[in-house]
Amino acid sequence: MKFTKNAVGRLIPDEIEGRKLRPFQGAFVDNGGGKRTAPPIPVSKPGDKKLLSSLKEAIEAVGLKDGMTISFHHHLRNGDFVVNMVVDEIARMGIKGLTLFPSALFPVHKPLIEHIKSGVIRNIQGSMNGPVGRFVSYGGLPTVAVLRTHGGRVRAVEDGDVHIDVAFIAAPSSDDYGNANGVDGPSACGPLAYSAIDWQYADKVVVITDNLLPYPLVPFSVPATHVDYVVKVDQIGDPGLIVSGTTRITRSPTRLKIAQMAAQFIKESSYFKNGFSFQTGAGGISLAITKILADVMRKEKIKARFINGGVTKYAVEMLHEGLIDVLYDGQVFDTEAIESFKNDLYHVETPMTMYANYHSKGCLVNRQDIGFLGATEIDVDFNVNVNTHSDGILLHGIGGHTDVAAGAKLAMIVVPSYRNRVPIIKDKVTTISTPGETIDVMVCERGIAINPRRKDLIEHFKNSKLPIRNIQDIKKEVEGITGVPEKPKFKDRIITLIEYRDGTILDVVREIDE
Amino acid sequence: MKFTKNAVGRLIPDEIEGRKLRPFQGAFVDNGGGKRTAPPIPVSKPGDKKLLSSLKEAIEAVGLKDGMTISFHHHLRNGDFVVNMVVDEIARMGIKGLTLFPSALFPVHKPLIEHIKSGVIRNIQGSMNGPVGRFVSYGGLPTVAVLRTHGGRVRAVEDGDVHIDVAFIAAPSSDDYGNANGVDGPSACGPLAYSAIDWQYADKVVVITDNLLPYPLVPFSVPATHVDYVVKVDQIGDPGLIVSGTTRITRSPTRLKIAQMAAQFIKESSYFKNGFSFQTGAGGISLAITKILADVMRKEKIKARFINGGVTKYAVEMLHEGLIDVLYDGQVFDTEAIESFKNDLYHVETPMTMYANYHSKGCLVNRQDIGFLGATEIDVDFNVNVNTHSDGILLHGIGGHTDVAAGAKLAMIVVPSYRNRVPIIKDKVTTISTPGETIDVMVCERGIAINPRRKDLIEHFKNSKLPIRNIQDIKKEVEGITGVPEKPKFKDRIITLIEYRDGTILDVVREIDE
């Protein structure tokens, strides 16, 4: 195998399993070019029926065959029943060697491991949160997996890197023609934004619902123009696991301290002014920053123009209070946010292309002022790992992390300095998920480190009372408490590629050596 | 020139100007297949600016060159300033030989005639209402024009028959990144649905607005992800001509009688039941039918599921009254409808693919029960002409006429039996815009003719008190009053192709012999 060192110093094989790899060259080096891919030309006639009575019938109707690529989406999160039910049916039908192209898998999808072992699933391209990731880390998948960002996943489809043969879309509501939404029905989840690229580009699209409503269903996230078949099943998910009844702000004193420091940093920055924008999520620290920021905004009479979410009731309250004009929403985390998503004109769905596609004419993250992001590790070059833990095991997807970091004017990593006596700051992160050149600041409870590339920020904060420190110093201090943990041991075999949002390879993950 | 007779008996050349023509085979013979076309892969980086200070700068930025294809849309109707202003600028810059691909041209676009004469415009593919159509009829265009239906226009773009180099989109509001809508600003027009296929497929997209609003603009019909440049101009249109303050129901006793007969026919049909759907427009008879139907619906306690519009205040009143659940909207005709379009959750925009694309997986017209449609002529085979008058002059576009006729279960032509002493019913229509196999009924003040193909309808109405008559008999009766007018004289030269929604050729229009 021939390797080339990429722009973040990782050795990337020139080719793997017949795919030629392009090593990462820098966050904004790629300039597009060439043509997008195109789906087949369909036809539909008055009287055509789409409603089928079973998954089996749908799988037959779309002509699923050995070796094809099928896609799924994670808007039902850990409450999803659809992935398992479809792959179980495919297995019963004796179809093998599939590539799974999910936007993300969750712990609920652990049964897929048996389908990998039996050869039904041959490859996975998509986030693997939890048990499937662990299984892949130990060499369980016979092929090399690919992890992409939210923006990278849609880019890969549009550019033709990934061809979806059949997209299966879990729909909390649908009519018999395939107009589907996520806001009505017992399994309501909010937007269906992850599925948008799939219904646009997949050869065949199957909507799976447990709540059939009269045609034409309005509002809709998926349009009937792009759906081949609709299947009604008993239940697409567990409502209690799809959205939480309540999202909660962290109560950890350390995490609250981090949130306060981050909020104060934002307040002192040049970005905190009328019309600013930020990204929030459902994580404990992120919610705490949002809440503290809201208080500061009230006090200083500053209004935000938009939040780019993951949306929770906290963001919705800010919208209703008038602290913010617009909520852009890729997924919601609680029932209040679903209600708002359904009814508020200024709470709009964000398909992933709109959110984060580098190969678009302008996505949302490009116009975002501030993003607060998590990390499993960060290194002294500000490279961030969100995929593997320090034990080297693949447990998380990339999500929009890398996209927001690239786009936001102020990309902040907000993390505790250690977790379970494992320090977060490393000489080199185990896996690079997001390149350091796109990270501006790290905030932990021991101090705030500004990326040396941001001379303007360092200058701006030189008289601040905030504990602005060198990242190396914070690292040493933490290691004085925790010690320096041993590095995980890997075999040679590459089990996963970490693809940057432009399609180049940022890093590889290797099989764990037990 | 070699000709082949198509399924409606018209002689279609095998090839014209290097384009191989496929003769019309029947309304539902085409079965799709092959791949759609694909636009170039763009790129956008944080900090990229799109706002330009003049049209000239935009035309330079997109690299417009001799012989390219540029597109426009008619949501500003006869109030549009944008087509003329862009083509004037292009002419000043010395660019020649362009193909114009408008969704429709109006009388306001008469100045284009000078640009055709001077060679700036070489070809037009799109509806030509009024003076430009007349000019083309007299041989003014050096090449053969193409008329398409609303559904056919989007199909042609998606299938790659028409490549748009630059789309110019008139936007009543836009932000500096190209998120644009039609509901805010002095030139508000409602949906921007005609432009949807263009921003998806054009190589370059320029938004032209007179109302620049803060980023991100919500709601938006055009997303920034698909816009290259934004230009602010003084005024994009004349508000008084964009929408009428009030749309009016016909007061003509003849037309009211036709409306009453049509409404009674609908009431007696099997389609008039809870959950039915129909298409309405802004024409006088169409509005009158809608109003009469609303009264019948109230009396009989029948609710409609959806209206497929052209939406006016009459449809909006029905929505608000609860007589109808959903308004699907491709364009609005009055200010009340704009307000409703902006604020009512169940009043949604219908891009033309969703409305009428035969090469989609299921468009709205396929699910529509009833459509009432106009005609300049109808013949004894129920073929309909909406493009030329009986004098042979090209004065109108096809619009959604052919699409609705193909999709609706009950496609009704509602027309007076003669206009200005010219009978409407012919042995053969001058131009076939919509094939007779897709027309079910003709209603005029002298009687109702059911297409013999619809044996079920004839059977259903055999005991009706309505004046159900043979179309030949009505024709004879009218000719007894008006006489049989002379046929227009044509030269050999073909000046326009009438393309069916599947891309086959339904008819040709020839140059008028003066």
Side-chain angles (χ1 to χ4, degrees), chain B residues 417-418 421-425 446 469 472-485:
Chain B
S417 64
Y418 59 90
R421 298 198 69 81
V422 178
I424 302 299
I425 308 170
R446 290 170 198 282
R469 301 178 63 186
Q472 299 270 15
D473 295 341
I474 305 176
K475 174 172 173 282
K476 265 178 227 154
E477 181 181 312
V478 176
E479 285 172 355
I481 302 164
T482 61
V484 181

Side-chain angles (χ1 to χ4, degrees), chain A residues 28 31 33-34 36 38-39 41 44-45 50 176-177 203 215-216 218 225 228 305 346 358 361-362 364 366-367, chain B residues 28 31 33-34 36 38-39 41 44-45 50 176-177 203 215-216 218 225 228 305 346 359 361-362 364 367:
Chain A
F28 304 107
N31 279 318
R36 284 181 171 164
I41 295 173
S44 67
K45 304 178 185 182
K50 299 185 183 181
D176 66 357
Y177 220 42
D203 285 359
Y215 177 89
V218 171
T225 43
D228 293 276
R305 178 63 186 155
Y346 294 95
Y358 181 65
K361 293 176 177 177
L364 208 55
N366 281 0
R367 294 296 297 262
Chain B
F28 305 107
N31 280 316
R36 285 181 171 163
I41 295 173
S44 68
K45 304 178 185 182
K50 299 185 182 181
D176 66 357
Y177 219 43
D203 285 359
Y215 178 91
V218 170
T225 42
D228 293 275
R305 179 62 187 157
Y346 295 96
H359 282 174
K361 293 176 177 177
L364 209 53
R367 294 297 298 263

